[in-house]
Amino acid sequence: MLRRLIYPVPAWDPAIALPVTTTKGGTHLVHHPAPEGGRTVVYLHGNGSDLASANPLAGLFDEQGLGFAAVEYPGYGPATGRTTQDGILSAARDGLAHLSLPAERTVLVGESLGSSVAAHLAAEGLLTDDEGSGRLVLVSPFTSMTAMVQRVVRGFPRRLVPDRWETDGLLERIEVPTMLVHGELDDLVPPAMSAQLERGLASALRVVVPGRTHNDLWQSPSECLAAVARFARGEQQDNPLY
């Protein structure tokens, strides 16, 4: 029952036509290559999303001169298997390895649940290689799944949360440039959580988008998209929101 709360998997229509690639390890992903010399956004979606709902972001980032890839989780979209923290992390690692992008050309963007997936990969050093380091973006990030569950069921015992997704315990191990983006009116994941994470990161930039909630950050006109694209391209941040 609690897993269904943590992972509200949306219904998948097998008739959906997507350019899905399956890795040798069985991970499903979509990939729209970057223009020559450009960086690629590797997107890790939230728990109510899947490849079908993530794929439209490819066009938005293409307009920004960036490539796009999205990795599917076990039990989501066309992917089979049981949905667990270990399974999701294994798929994300496999997808990133399959893309085989230089770290300095990789921008790992995780949203909501995906923010913790992305943070785990960054903490494992997967955004750093001999050529340099990539960038990390956490969109609507929470401190831990335990804290999120306890917002719904006050006093719920920590030991009973099956997958804890403790992003706040990873911060000292994240050494790459990081951006945090949060909607000012997010009533699902409190903006205070991204503020708490920012304080624990060595190199972080936090953006609070006025008037936006948890579910409309990418809707046009999207300050979230503009901010993430600038950060991904390594451009100087001159917006007063920073």
Side-chain angles (χ1 to χ4, degrees), residues 110-161:
E111 182 167 9
S112 196
L113 171 66
S115 70
S116 194
V117 184
H120 275 76
L121 299 191
E124 292 172 11
L126 298 186
L127 282 178
T128 305
D129 60 23
D130 292 340
E131 302 302 319
S133 67
R135 289 171 173 251
L136 175 67
V137 180
L138 307 180
V139 180
S140 307
F142 53 84
T143 52
S144 73
M145 187 59 71
T146 304
M148 290 298 295
V149 170
Q150 289 175 340
R151 278 177 50 80
V152 178
V153 185
R154 293 188 180 277
F156 193 88
R158 177 178 179 276
R159 69 181 184 280
L160 297 182
V161 180

Side-chain angles (χ1 to χ4, degrees), residues 36-241:
E36 186 174 355
R39 292 187 170 105
T40 296
V41 167
V42 180
Y43 180 74
L44 299 163
H45 64 71
N47 61 10
S49 185
D50 57 23
L51 286 185
S53 54
N55 191 56
L57 291 174
L60 299 179
F61 282 108
D62 178 69
E63 293 172 356
Q64 300 289 332
L66 298 162
F68 180 82
V71 179
E72 194 54 287
Y73 309 148
Y76 281 75
T80 59
R82 186 165 179 259
T83 310
T84 65
Q85 178 169 337
D86 287 344
I88 291 173
L89 288 173
S90 179
R93 294 185 196 104
D94 183 50
L96 196 59
H98 175 83
L99 292 168
S100 193
L101 299 166
E104 64 178 2
R105 295 294 174 186
T106 303
V107 184
L108 198 56
V109 178
E111 182 167 9
S112 196
L113 171 66
S115 70
S116 194
V117 184
H120 275 76
L121 299 191
E124 292 172 11
L126 298 186
L127 282 178
T128 305
D129 60 23
D130 292 340
E131 302 302 319
S133 67
R135 289 171 173 251
L136 175 67
V137 180
L138 307 180
V139 180
S140 307
F142 53 84
T143 52
S144 73
M145 187 59 71
T146 304
M148 290 298 295
V149 170
Q150 289 175 340
R151 278 177 50 80
V152 178
V153 185
R154 293 188 180 277
F156 193 88
R158 177 178 179 276
R159 69 181 184 280
L160 297 182
V161 180
D163 292 345
R164 296 175 184 167
W165 291 109
E166 294 171 327
T167 305
D168 52 3
L170 304 171
L171 304 180
E172 292 184 356
R173 295 161 52 197
I174 296 175
E175 299 178 345
V176 297
T178 302
M179 170 182 277
L180 304 99
V181 184
H182 223 122
E184 176 192 27
L185 304 180
D186 192 330
D187 59 1
L188 180 61
V189 179
M193 285 192 171
S194 60
Q196 180 178 335
L197 294 174
E198 179 193 24
R199 290 192 291 271
L201 288 164
S203 176
L205 184 66
R206 180 169 175 261
V207 178
V208 177
V209 184
R212 294 301 175 107
T213 68
H214 191 78
N215 296 317
D216 62 2
L217 283 170
W218 301 105
Q219 291 180 13
S220 181
S222 177
E223 177 59 38
C224 174
L225 173 65
V228 173
R230 287 194 297 266
F231 183 73
R233 293 191 300 257
E235 296 174 1
Q236 182 177 358
Q237 309 298 331
D238 55 5
N239 191 289
L241 290 174

